[in-house]
Amino acid sequence: MKKIIFTICLIGLFATAQAQVSITPRLGLSMPQGLIDNVAGNGFGYGLDLDYAINDNLRVGASFSQHRFNDEIAGFSFNMIDFSISPITASVKYVLPGAKLRPYIGLEGGLYNFKVGAAGFNITREYWGLAPSLGVLYPVSERIDFFANAQYHIMYVNETIPIADFNINQNIKFVPVNLGISFKF
C-alpha cells in the first residue's frame, strides 16, 4: 500500500513539475451581433485568462473579461444607453501541433453579468453562456507568446428585458477579437 501511495505521489509531483501555468492579459474590439446590434455599436473589451497546461496540446483554465458597448441608432451615437457584459468562465483549449505558429480551438462557458444603463435606470442580470473560440499563439521566447483570438459569445437570455421602448427577448451574441501577451511560468 505504501508503494502505491508513493508511486501516485511521485507521478503527481512529476506531472506538476512538467505543468505550465500562463497568464494572458488581453484587449480587443467587441462587435454586437443579432438583435443587440440594432441598439449597440462596436465596443471595447479587456480580460485576463489563466491557463494550466495539462500537456503540450491541452489547456484548461479560467477567464474574466468585460465588454462595453454604447448605443447607436441610425448611425448616430447618443451615449444614452450603455451596455456592459462581464463573462466569468471556465475554459478548455486544444493547441494544434506546430513549429512556430500554434493555432488552437477552445470553448468557454460560465456566468455572464449583463448591465444596462439608460435615462437614470440600471438593469443587472446574470445569465449562462458559451463562447467557442479560434486563436493563435506565436512564441517570442520560451516564456512569452503573442496571443490573438476571436470568440463567439452567446448569452442565453430566458426572459424579456425592457429598455425604454425596446425589448430584448432573444439570446445576446457578440464577437470580440482580442490581442494579448501570454506569460508562462
Side-chain angles (χ1 to χ4, degrees):
M1 183 67 175
K2 288 181 183 179
K3 288 181 184 181
I4 294 172
I5 292 173
F6 177 74
T7 304
I8 291 171
C9 289
L10 193 59
I11 291 170
L13 184 62
F14 179 73
T16 305
Q18 297 299 317
Q20 195 169 48
V21 174
S22 63
I23 296 175
T24 307
R26 57 186 160 98
L27 297 170
L29 174 68
S30 297
M31 298 168 284
Q33 304 292 307
L35 180 67
I36 200 164
D37 188 32
N38 295 331
V39 277
N42 290 338
F44 177 79
Y46 60 90
L48 185 67
D49 298 338
L50 178 64
D51 288 336
Y52 177 81
I54 294 175
N55 58 36
D56 285 342
N57 298 49
L58 187 62
R59 296 176 182 211
V60 295
S63 176
F64 169 79
S65 61
Q66 184 173 43
H67 307 273
R68 300 186 62 82
F69 307 93
N70 289 329
D71 74 317
E72 184 176 297
I73 299 172
F76 296 100
S77 180
F78 297 102
N79 292 330
M80 294 168 42
I81 302 174
D82 291 324
F83 294 94
S84 173
I85 302 172
S86 302
I88 301 170
T89 59
S91 65
V92 61
K93 296 173 185 159
Y94 181 75
V95 182
L96 301 169
K100 195 70 171 161
L101 196 63
R102 301 199 61 203
Y104 73 86
I105 57 174
L107 181 65
E108 294 183 13
L111 186 65
Y112 284 63
N113 182 290
F114 179 66
K115 292 182 184 178
V116 178
F121 72 91
N122 293 314
I123 297 173
T124 301
R125 301 278 194 277
E126 281 81 27
Y127 301 106
W128 291 102
L130 290 174
S133 63
L134 294 172
V136 66
L137 298 169
Y138 181 78
V140 177
S141 71
E142 187 177 314
R143 299 283 182 200
I144 297 175
D145 291 342
F146 282 131
F147 161 87
N149 81 350
Q151 301 171 313
Y152 186 73
H153 288 268
I154 304 169
M155 266 179 25
Y156 297 103
V157 177
N158 56 2
E159 64 181 336
T160 298
I161 304 169
I163 302 170
D165 293 332
F166 186 77
N167 289 321
I168 296 175
N169 57 3
Q170 296 179 6
N171 295 336
I172 295 172
K173 303 169 191 155
F174 62 99
V175 176
V177 177
N178 302 299
L179 297 174
I181 299 175
S182 183
F183 300 98
K184 299 182 265 187
F185 300 98

